Amino acid sequence: MDFEVWPEAIELGQIFEQHGYELSLVGGPVRDLLLHRRSHDLDFCSSARPEEFEPILRSWGEGFWDMGRKFGTLGAVRHRDDGTEVRVEVTTYRSDRYDPDSRKPEVAYGHDLLGDLSRRDFTINAMALRVPSLEFVDPFSGASDLVKQVLRTPIDPERSFDDDPLRMMRAVRFVAQLGFSITPDTAVAISDMAQRLSIVSAERVRDELVKMLLSERPREGIEAFVESGLADVVFPEIPALQLEMDEHHRHKDVFEHTMMVLDRAIALETDDEGPVPAPDLTLRLAALMHDIGKPATRRFEPGGKVSFHHHDVVGAKLTRKRLKALRFDRHLVQDVSELVGLHLRFHGYVDEPWTDAAVRRYVKDSGHLYGRLNRLTRADATTQNHRKARMFAQAMDEMEERVVELKKREDFDALRPDLDGSQIMQILNLKPGPEIGQAYKHMLAFRLDNGPTDEQTATVELRRWWNERNG
């Protein structure tokens, strides 16, 4: 085959060859070459042991790392003349053995390239390019599977997934990233062995979920995740959204609705410079989880109606619990659960436009999530009634315009009472204590309801509240 290969790969291959070692490009970089994609991260495998090729990488690169030393992996980085950089990782041939109750391999070095390729996750990642000779090595027909756009394991899928259960998560992640389908025998093996995923650490499952959600086709990945049974093991709230339709079909299938909201939310992301940069993990997680409180709150009402009262509150609690279990960053956990809890907040505006005070509270309560909350709210309006959809969009446009106008007159980002804590203590002749906090909270509510006022008006209100409270 005719390859346009990175010059750095050729150069490293020549250096390894001069030292008597084999070196091959493997995995993603080879797959991307065939897909006519370019990568700045190059993965190699070699016959050399880490202690043998460490001096080569240290001499070749401008930076060096060895976090993967215990797995036989070392890395280096070099900057090109055009300002870009190329990162390389070299791993000694491997033939790992796995403990049946752990996905941590007992690292064992292999003896040749073919043995190393046989232990990789899918055939499309089990191709290699020897350097500097540029001999293409494809013992498991990965190039053919790449053309067919299918995911298949190099060896028996049951054995492959038993060795490393995380490969099942990578399968659904590649569905999202590449748009490929999983071959029937591989899909059956995933369904049969889904429970084995429970031995994988939450952090590794989380990392695969993040890659899937930030891909170009997260909906396809989530659908494969649910269909395979993997979601039942690590994210059961998502398949639980597949509620049976009521006999009169008066409520939407919640899972299908959620997929629509995810697609719509992604379409509302902005560029990297906008308030909701694309791809945005916070918004995408909120879209995926905004209705997970519905199964627990579903009630069949008289006349065949179905209700989901307080599913926003329940959903926020479930969101916090699940994201914590998956070891997400606490700030992201807080933001996503906050969005889920607020996602119904705007709906009352459509029927009766808010006062300025209500608009201020909406902006204050959403805080730095204001832009994401509005996008989630818009995405959640999936009604097929064109008149209702138009009214909803117009109401949201109107509210956002009002916020812009209010912000011209008021500093929403520094919204505080017209009296600070020291003034409150002086006016009420109080010492520091919980009463000051209560007074401050009341004056903040007064500020939100009435907008900015002068000190005299604020003082009158503070005394009125205090006298009524203690009357």
Side-chain angles (χ1 to χ4, degrees):
M1 293 187 179
D2 182 23
F3 293 98
E4 182 183 349
V5 181
W6 297 266
E8 294 87 357
I10 301 294
E11 179 186 358
L12 265 179
Q14 291 171 338
I15 297 172
F16 271 67
E17 188 176 59
Q18 290 167 6
H19 285 78
Y21 306 131
E22 297 178 1
L23 186 70
S24 298
L25 266 174
V26 290
V30 179
R31 183 191 70 227
D32 288 345
L33 273 177
L34 296 178
L35 292 173
H36 304 290
R37 297 176 177 176
R38 301 296 288 177
S39 173
H40 299 299
D41 296 331
L42 306 182
D43 295 325
F44 297 88
C45 65
S46 174
S47 60
R49 299 294 177 90
E51 63 274 13
E52 294 173 326
F53 64 79
E54 178 175 346
I56 297 176
L57 290 186
R58 286 188 179 276
S59 174
W60 176 87
E62 299 163 9
F64 172 84
W65 61 91
D66 64 352
M67 289 85 75
R69 183 183 293 274
K70 66 179 180 180
F71 299 112
T73 301
L74 304 176
V77 62
R78 176 192 279 188
H79 294 86
R80 299 187 177 108
D81 293 339
D82 62 3
T84 62
E85 65 177 34
V86 58
R87 299 166 64 89
V88 306
E89 286 195 338
V90 180
T91 302
T92 302
Y93 292 150
R94 298 254 296 267
S95 60
D96 299 338
R97 303 181 183 91
Y98 292 78
D99 185 309
D101 299 318
S102 172
R103 79 161 304 274
K104 294 182 179 180
E106 300 172 6
V107 177
Y109 292 137
H111 303 287
D112 56 47
L113 176 60
L114 293 184
D116 184 275
L117 295 179
S118 71
R119 54 166 291 277
R120 295 184 177 266
D121 52 7
F122 302 104
T123 59
I124 61 171
N125 294 325
M127 300 177 287
L129 189 65
R130 296 185 187 273
V131 286
S133 68
L134 300 187
E135 176 192 350
F136 180 60
V137 183
D138 184 17
F140 305 104
S141 302
S144 175
D145 287 345
L146 204 59
V147 172
K148 297 174 185 175
Q149 297 189 329
V150 296
L151 296 167
R152 181 171 58 87
T153 55
I155 59 176
D156 179 75
E158 286 83 1
R159 178 183 163 195
S160 178
F161 299 144
D162 190 56
D163 276 353
D164 187 353
L166 191 64
R167 290 170 180 166
M168 296 185 285
M169 279 298 300
R170 286 202 288 267
V172 296
R173 189 245 293 180
F174 282 132
V175 169
Q177 286 185 328
L178 301 174
F180 286 15
S181 60
I182 302 171
T183 59
D185 61 330
T186 305
V188 168
I190 292 175
S191 295
D192 289 346
M193 303 185 67
Q195 284 297 327
R196 182 143 171 77
L197 189 62
S198 60
I199 73 167
V200 179
S201 70
E203 291 84 356
R204 291 184 178 274
V205 172
R206 175 204 63 205
D207 290 346
E208 293 297 326
L209 280 171
V210 168
K211 291 174 184 177
M212 178 165 57
L213 282 171
L214 296 181
S215 69
E216 294 182 9
R217 306 169 188 83
R219 175 176 182 163
E220 294 178 27
I222 293 295
E223 289 173 340
F225 183 45
V226 170
E227 183 179 349
S228 67
L230 296 174
D232 291 315
V233 179
V234 296
F235 211 141
E237 294 83 1
I238 302 305
L241 295 174
Q242 296 177 305
L243 298 175
E244 293 181 3
M245 299 287 284
D246 63 288
E247 59 178 332
H248 300 291
H249 299 280
R250 290 180 180 173
H251 80 271
K252 305 169 186 174
D253 174 80
V254 183
F255 179 76
E256 179 60 26
H257 164 74
T258 297
M259 294 300 95
M260 291 175 62
V261 173
L262 179 61
D263 283 342
R264 288 163 59 90
I266 291 170
L268 291 172
E269 291 174 342
T270 52
D271 58 31
D272 291 341
E273 301 301 320
V276 184
D280 187 75
L281 180 61
T282 301
L283 179 61
R284 295 185 182 198
L285 274 170
L288 179 64
M289 305 183 76
H290 77 285
D291 273 349
I292 65 171
K294 279 190 170 180
T297 59
R298 181 172 64 161
R299 297 291 182 271
F300 293 100
E301 308 291 353
K305 293 184 178 180
V306 180
S307 67
F308 303 96
H309 297 307
H310 307 301
H311 76 268
D312 49 340
V313 177
V314 173
K317 293 179 180 178
L318 291 173
T319 294
R320 188 174 292 108
K321 181 179 180 180
R322 177 53 55 196
L323 294 186
K324 282 184 177 179
L326 288 168
R327 305 292 192 271
F328 277 95
D329 172 82
R330 64 183 181 87
H331 296 295
L332 186 137
V333 172
Q334 179 62 33
D335 285 352
V336 176
S337 57
E338 192 78 12
L339 286 170
V340 172
L342 290 171
H343 82 274
L344 296 180
R345 181 76 171 269
F346 176 77
H347 287 256
Y349 188 101
V350 181
D351 300 323
E352 184 178 347
W354 293 338
T355 62
D356 283 353
V359 173
R360 288 190 197 96
R361 287 182 181 277
Y362 178 84
V363 177
K364 178 69 174 177
D365 290 348
S366 57
H368 69 283
L369 298 171
Y370 172 76
R372 289 185 176 93
L373 179 57
N374 287 357
R375 283 163 174 78
L376 176 61
T377 303
R378 287 181 184 273
D380 192 29
T382 60
T383 177
Q384 298 302 305
N385 185 310
H386 296 301
R387 183 183 66 83
K388 287 184 177 180
R390 185 167 58 253
M391 289 177 59
F392 190 92
Q394 289 173 348
M396 178 62 81
D397 291 343
E398 177 188 311
M399 191 274 292
E400 289 181 335
E401 290 170 3
R402 288 178 63 186
V403 170
V404 171
E405 291 303 314
L406 283 171
K407 283 188 172 182
K408 289 180 181 178
R409 304 195 300 268
E410 308 173 31
D411 184 2
F412 275 36
D413 295 330
L415 204 56
R416 293 179 176 83
D418 296 299
L419 300 173
D420 61 26
S422 297
Q423 290 172 303
I424 291 172
M425 286 189 289
Q426 182 177 3
I427 293 167
L428 298 180
N429 193 28
L430 294 174
K431 295 181 179 180
E435 291 175 322
I436 303 303
Q438 294 164 7
Y440 186 93
K441 185 176 181 180
H442 171 74
M443 293 309 297
L444 176 59
F446 180 77
R447 168 70 174 80
L448 289 168
D449 287 340
N450 298 278
T453 60
D454 56 49
E455 184 176 343
Q456 181 179 358
T457 302
T459 301
V460 169
E461 170 58 25
L462 176 62
R463 292 187 184 279
R464 183 204 65 76
W465 171 81
W466 180 253
N467 291 332
E468 182 178 296
R469 181 179 181 275
N470 295 281

